[in-house]
């Protein structure tokens, strides 16, 4: 295992253009890799996004072996990195889509996660357009001995999702998001990300859309809940070189996971 591992969060504003989004992703990924990142996290809906949602979502959805993933795989091979990004995946009914996150290396897909909790809150109805993911074992992958797990945006409000990642031995939770703007939403974003890190004593890396539609403030947080790399509101990249031994050090002092008396079970 390397002494430290570079992790990047890349914040941008995905548009209603698959080609333009891939161009932005490639530029940001090269910047992140040049700064030493081996794992690069992009937002939810990185392949295509339109506000408000409309029928173009299904028109621009892809299969897992489609051009978005194949382009990410080529980029991952060029940069010797794993790229994590939100994908509009085709669903079975042809009308809705799947809100999917893929982790892609040069050899193809390493992990796939379909958003469990859809954003039917704060006046929004994501479920009108998106098919919810099925409850399944945690999707994880490893880089240099560190285990990474996937979750998405609104899942942050359900602490049991992150806890299932901790139960799967995850060292770093990756959170692609489109955290919709609104009163106190930026506050909720930061507090929830830090809480998930603190209660699970693992790293959290979260990438949001840039304003005006997202709140921005993409960040990487250590196992004590301290942001160690962060972006403001611009489209940008932040890189943290994390120390894997930090997790064990924190857990020796704060063995909350070992002391808990409840387990997570599906509803």
């Amino acid at each position: 295992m390397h002494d430290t591992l570079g992790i990047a969060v890349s914040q941008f504003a995905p548009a209603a253009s698959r080609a333009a989004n891939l161009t932005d992703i490639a530029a940001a990924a090269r910047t992140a890799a040049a700064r030493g990142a081996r794992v690069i996290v992009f937002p939810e809906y990185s392949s295509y996004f339109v506000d408000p949602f409309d029928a173009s979502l299904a028109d621009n959805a892809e299969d897992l072996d489609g051009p978005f993933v194949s382009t990410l795989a080529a980029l991952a091979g060029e940069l010797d990195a794993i790229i994590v990004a939100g994908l509009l995946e085709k669903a079975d009914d042809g009308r809705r889509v799947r809100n999917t996150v893929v982790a892609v290396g040069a050899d193809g897909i390493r992990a796939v996660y379909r958003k469990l909790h859809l954003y039917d809150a704060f006046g929004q109805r994501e479920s009108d357009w998106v098919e919810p993911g099925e409850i399944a074992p945690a999707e994880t992958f490893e880089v240099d001995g560190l285990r990474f797990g996937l979750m998405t945006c609104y899942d942050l409000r359900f602490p049991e999702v992150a806890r299932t990642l901790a139960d799967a031995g995850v060292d770093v939770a990756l959170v692609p998001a489109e955290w919709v703007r609104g009163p106190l939403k930026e506050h909720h974003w930061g507090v929830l990300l830090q809480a998930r890190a603190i209660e699970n004593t693992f790293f959290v890396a979260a990438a949001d859309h840039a304003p005006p539609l997202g709140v921005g403030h993409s960040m990487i947080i250590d196992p004590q809940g301290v942001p160690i790399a962060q972006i403001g509101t611009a489209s940008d990249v932040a890189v943290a070189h994390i120390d894997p031994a930090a997790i064990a050090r924190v857990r020796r002092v704060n063995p909350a996971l070992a002391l808990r008396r409840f387990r997570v079970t599906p509803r």
Side-chain angles (χ1 to χ4, degrees):
M1 185 185 294
H2 293 172
D3 290 338
T4 63
L5 180 70
I7 299 175
V9 288
S10 179
Q11 178 170 294
F12 79 114
S17 168
R18 286 186 282 172
N21 293 337
L22 281 170
T23 297
D24 288 344
I25 287 168
R30 291 186 178 107
T31 298
R35 297 180 188 172
R38 295 286 315 288
V39 178
I40 307 167
V41 186
F42 288 89
E44 180 182 22
Y45 293 118
S46 279
S47 70
Y48 182 90
F49 185 74
V50 63
D51 180 60
F53 283 175
D54 59 28
S56 70
L57 292 179
D59 294 338
N60 287 276
E62 301 184 16
D63 293 318
L64 291 178
D65 59 357
F68 184 76
V69 170
S70 63
T71 301
L72 293 189
L75 188 59
E78 172 195 331
L79 301 175
D80 187 26
I82 303 295
I83 297 174
V84 177
L87 163 69
L88 277 182
E89 183 191 0
K90 289 181 180 178
D92 293 334
D93 64 11
R95 181 184 64 83
R96 293 190 297 174
V97 299
R98 295 184 179 125
N99 184 338
T100 301
V101 171
V102 290
V104 182
D107 53 351
I109 292 175
R110 298 284 188 91
V112 177
Y113 172 75
R114 297 179 177 98
K115 189 176 183 181
L116 285 176
H117 297 94
L118 300 184
Y119 187 59
D120 289 358
F122 296 90
Q124 306 285 324
R125 286 280 303 175
E126 188 176 29
S127 64
D128 288 346
W129 304 96
V130 178
E131 175 186 286
E134 294 185 1
I135 295 173
E139 282 285 324
T140 68
F141 64 94
E142 292 194 9
V143 178
D144 291 349
L146 276 176
R147 181 170 292 179
F148 294 80
L150 305 175
M151 57 190 291
T152 310
C153 199
Y154 192 50
D155 287 331
L156 273 177
R157 294 186 183 272
F158 302 85
E160 58 271 21
V161 178
R163 183 53 54 89
T164 62
L165 296 183
D167 283 345
V170 162
D171 301 300
V172 188
L174 305 180
V175 192
E178 203 294 284
W179 199 261
V180 180
R181 67 198 183 284
L184 294 178
K185 294 296 293 299
E186 181 181 312
H187 172 66
H188 290 186
W189 168 248
V191 167
L192 289 168
L193 287 170
Q194 289 174 274
R196 299 298 83 88
I198 292 167
E199 69 203 5
N200 293 294
T201 53
F202 57 23
F203 289 92
V204 174
D208 191 25
H209 286 217
L213 295 178
V215 300
H217 294 279
S218 301
M219 64 183 84
I220 300 166
I221 301 167
D222 78 6
Q224 297 202 81
V226 178
I228 53 176
Q230 188 168 0
I231 303 169
T233 57
S235 292
D236 204 350
V237 172
V239 179
H241 296 270
I242 69 170
D243 176 9
I247 298 170
R249 288 198 300 269
V250 171
R251 289 178 178 174
R252 279 196 296 271
V253 176
N254 174 21
L257 284 179
L259 295 174
R260 67 195 176 101
R261 299 178 67 183
F262 295 88
R263 297 192 179 277
V264 176
T265 58
R267 181 178 173 186

